[in-house]
């Protein structure tokens, strides 16, 4: 009875996490489809992450709802669930790693054409999970494990080699890239002559908070697996591991919407439209509707002090724009930008304002 109660509790947590992730990822994909101003290199990676997470969560939810644990043993739903967990989770992790690398590449290495790496990202993010999935299926190690099906408890070597080993590497590498990127942006902003440094720091945090969400959501998995390796199986770390790992897509989506005023203005206007038909929130809905396609001015603007000191007058833009756009964090620090990016310094204010929310 206790075992069955634990399984029911696990499946309930899975359903809550899956449903929330489905909603969040769907909103991001709708926004990416409807708002053309959001389409750039960084948001393309985020949308592919959300599409992969949505695929994984929809299938996982259907299996969890339609099949009981005793029905999944050695059947097609059991194998499908294991495939979705292995392939989907690895692909989502790898897209997060590619996002970390892209942000580092744009900010620190100042890559002028990040789009040229996209074909390699695509092959890596779906090729490696496919290899792990094929190995898992060919070794006949899939079994029911609690509320789902996956690699059996007796195959710890396969679990580590096909799943947790790559996960630890991805998690650690993403943490290192975030650290290097944060160190660089902090040093550049703090050593600049700008009088809006606090706003700059807040703005730059939006570049890395996607990765911070990934690190936080999966840190419970690391803690739980370390405890399991010590032959300890506490309930709280296991519950946190299950919930946050599955709901990673939800929290990543909320972060994306928070980072992009275009997104929350668009969805806010659509949501308040329902109430405005009954005379409620009419002015708020009209205000959002009028401004839903207007970007906020970048807080990283040329400072009076920088101009007085003869610094470059270009606007410091975010590193997630189109191919022609490049990061200019060093502009306020009197660091010369590469010749191939000189044209960026002559963008007029209208072009700049059309690209400020693309984080």
């Amino acid at each position: 009875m206790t075992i069955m109660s634990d399984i029911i509790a696990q499946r309930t947590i899975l359903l809550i996490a899956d449903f929330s992730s489905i909603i969040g990822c769907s909103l991001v994909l709708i926004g990416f489809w409807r708002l053309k101003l959001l389409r750039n290199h960084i948001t393309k990676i985020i949308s592919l992450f959300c599409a992969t997470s949505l695929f994984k969560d929809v299938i996982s939810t259907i299996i969890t709802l339609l099949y009981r644990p005793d029905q999944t043993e050695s059947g097609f739903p059991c194998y499908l669930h294991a495939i979705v967990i292995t392939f989907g989770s690895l692909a989502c992790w790898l897209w997060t790693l590619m996002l970390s690398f892209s942000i580092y590449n744009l900010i620190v290495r100042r890559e002028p054409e990040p789009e040229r790496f996209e074909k390699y990202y695509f092959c890596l993010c779906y090729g490696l999970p496919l290899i792990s999935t094929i190995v898992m299926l060919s070794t006949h190690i899939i079994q029911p494990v609690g509320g789902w099906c996956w690699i059996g408890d007796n195959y710890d070597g396969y679990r580590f080699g096909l799943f947790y080993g790559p996960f630890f590497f991805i998690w650690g590498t993403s943490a290192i890239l975030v650290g290097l990127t944060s160190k660089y942006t902090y040093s550049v902003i703090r050593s600049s002559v700008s009088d809006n440094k606090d706003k700059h720091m807040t703005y730059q945090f939006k570049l890395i908070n996607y990765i911070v969400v990934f690190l936080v959501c999966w840190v419970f998995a690391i803690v739980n697996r370390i405890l399991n390796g010590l032959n300890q199986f506490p309930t709280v770390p296991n519950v946190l591991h299950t919930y946050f790992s599955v709901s990673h897509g939800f929290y990543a989506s909320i972060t994306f919407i928070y980072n992009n005023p275009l997104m929350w203005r668009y969805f806010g206007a659509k949501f308040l439209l329902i109430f405005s038909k009954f005379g409620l929130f009419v002015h708020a809905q009209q205000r959002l509707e009028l401004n839903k396609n207007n970007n906020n001015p970048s807080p990283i603007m040329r400072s009076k002090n920088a101009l007085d000191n003869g610094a470059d007058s270009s606007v410091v833009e975010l590193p997630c724009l189109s191919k022609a756009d490049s990061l200019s964090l060093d502009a306020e620090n009197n660091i010369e930008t590469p010749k191939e990016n000189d044209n960026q310094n002559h963008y007029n204010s209208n072009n700049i304002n059309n690209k400020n929310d693309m984080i």
Side-chain angles (χ1 to χ4, degrees):
M1 185 67 179
T2 303
I3 296 177
M4 184 57 64
S5 299
D6 291 341
I7 292 176
I8 293 174
Q10 286 180 335
R11 290 164 72 87
T12 302
I13 295 172
L14 282 176
L15 288 174
I16 294 173
D18 280 330
F19 273 121
S20 62
S21 185
I22 289 171
I23 293 172
C25 290
S26 297
L27 290 176
V28 169
L29 293 174
I30 291 172
F32 186 78
W33 169 50
R34 298 291 296 173
L35 302 172
K36 294 183 179 180
L37 283 175
L38 288 177
R39 298 177 187 177
N40 54 78
H41 173 64
I42 293 296
T43 57
K44 187 183 296 184
I45 294 177
I46 295 172
S47 66
L48 286 168
F49 162 84
C50 287
T52 304
S53 180
L54 182 64
F55 164 80
K56 172 177 70 72
D57 295 328
V58 167
I59 296 179
S60 178
T61 300
I62 293 173
I63 294 174
T64 303
L65 286 173
L66 297 182
Y67 296 92
R68 299 195 306 271
D70 57 342
Q71 289 179 311
T72 60
E73 185 171 2
S74 69
F76 174 76
C78 184
Y79 281 89
L80 180 60
H81 207 177
I83 292 171
V84 167
I85 291 173
T86 302
F87 182 88
S89 297
L90 283 172
C92 286
W93 297 342
L94 286 167
W95 277 121
T96 305
L97 178 60
M98 296 306 102
L99 179 62
S100 305
F101 175 75
S102 292
I103 293 174
Y104 170 82
N105 207 25
L106 284 160
I107 294 180
V108 181
R109 300 184 61 187
R110 301 172 60 81
E111 170 61 46
E113 296 185 358
E115 292 86 355
R116 66 191 181 95
F117 294 101
E118 289 177 359
K119 57 185 178 181
Y120 303 110
Y121 293 171
F122 192 90
C123 294
L124 183 67
C125 291
Y126 294 126
L128 291 182
L130 181 62
I131 293 173
S132 292
T133 303
I134 292 174
V135 172
M136 179 187 67
L137 292 173
S138 63
T139 50
H140 307 290
I141 55 178
I142 298 175
Q143 299 174 357
V145 286
W148 54 87
C149 285
W150 194 49
I151 300 173
D153 294 328
N154 298 326
Y155 303 101
D156 292 334
Y158 282 105
R159 284 189 172 190
F160 184 83
L162 299 178
F163 197 79
Y164 288 112
F167 162 68
F168 287 136
F169 173 80
I170 292 170
W171 195 92
T173 305
S174 298
I176 292 172
L177 290 172
V178 166
L180 293 174
T181 304
S182 300
K183 180 181 178 181
Y184 177 82
T185 56
Y186 180 85
S187 63
V188 170
I189 291 173
R190 286 303 177 189
S191 62
S192 71
V193 292
S194 171
D195 53 3
N196 292 315
K197 292 180 180 180
D198 291 338
K199 290 183 179 180
H200 295 185
M201 295 302 296
T202 301
Y203 205 52
Q204 294 308 308
F205 174 72
K206 290 185 177 182
L207 299 173
I208 61 172
N209 57 9
Y210 302 107
I211 318 303
V212 172
V213 167
F214 164 69
L215 298 176
V216 171
C217 283
W218 284 93
V219 70
F220 300 104
I222 294 177
V223 172
N224 189 45
R225 290 312 175 195
I226 291 175
L227 292 174
N228 294 164
L230 298 174
N231 202 29
Q232 298 183 29
F233 303 90
T235 301
V236 174
N238 185 53
V239 171
L240 293 175
H241 171 191
T242 302
Y243 171 73
F244 280 102
S245 62
V246 177
S247 60
H248 174 211
F250 169 73
Y251 289 105
S253 302
I254 294 300
T255 303
F256 181 77
I257 295 173
Y258 162 76
N259 281 352
N260 291 274
L262 284 174
M263 287 283 286
W264 53 259
R265 285 180 190 143
Y266 174 78
F267 287 115
K270 296 297 183 183
F271 179 73
L272 292 182
L273 181 63
I274 301 173
F275 296 93
S276 66
K277 295 183 182 298
F278 301 96
L280 301 173
F281 308 111
V282 175
H283 296 296
Q285 193 278 331
Q286 291 175 346
R287 186 166 60 252
L288 288 175
E289 184 69 27
L290 288 173
N291 292 282
K292 67 181 181 181
N293 290 323
N294 293 333
N295 295 331
N296 288 337
S298 168
I300 309 182
M301 305 295 286
R302 62 185 183 182
S303 66
K304 183 178 183 297
N305 292 336
L307 293 174
D308 292 341
N309 289 319
D312 192 334
S313 62
S314 64
V315 173
V316 180
E317 296 194 58
L318 288 175
C320 49
L321 307 180
S322 62
K323 182 179 295 186
D325 304 315
S326 62
L327 179 67
S328 184
L329 267 176
D330 296 330
E332 296 195 29
N333 205 23
N334 296 328
I335 297 175
E336 184 179 358
T337 54
K339 291 183 179 179
E340 61 267 27
N341 294 331
D342 283 347
N343 290 334
Q344 298 303 308
N345 299 336
H346 303 293
Y347 274 9
N348 59 41
S349 59
N350 290 332
N351 287 336
I352 291 169
N353 289 335
N354 284 335
K355 297 173 181 177
N356 287 324
D357 289 328
M358 299 191 182
I359 302 177

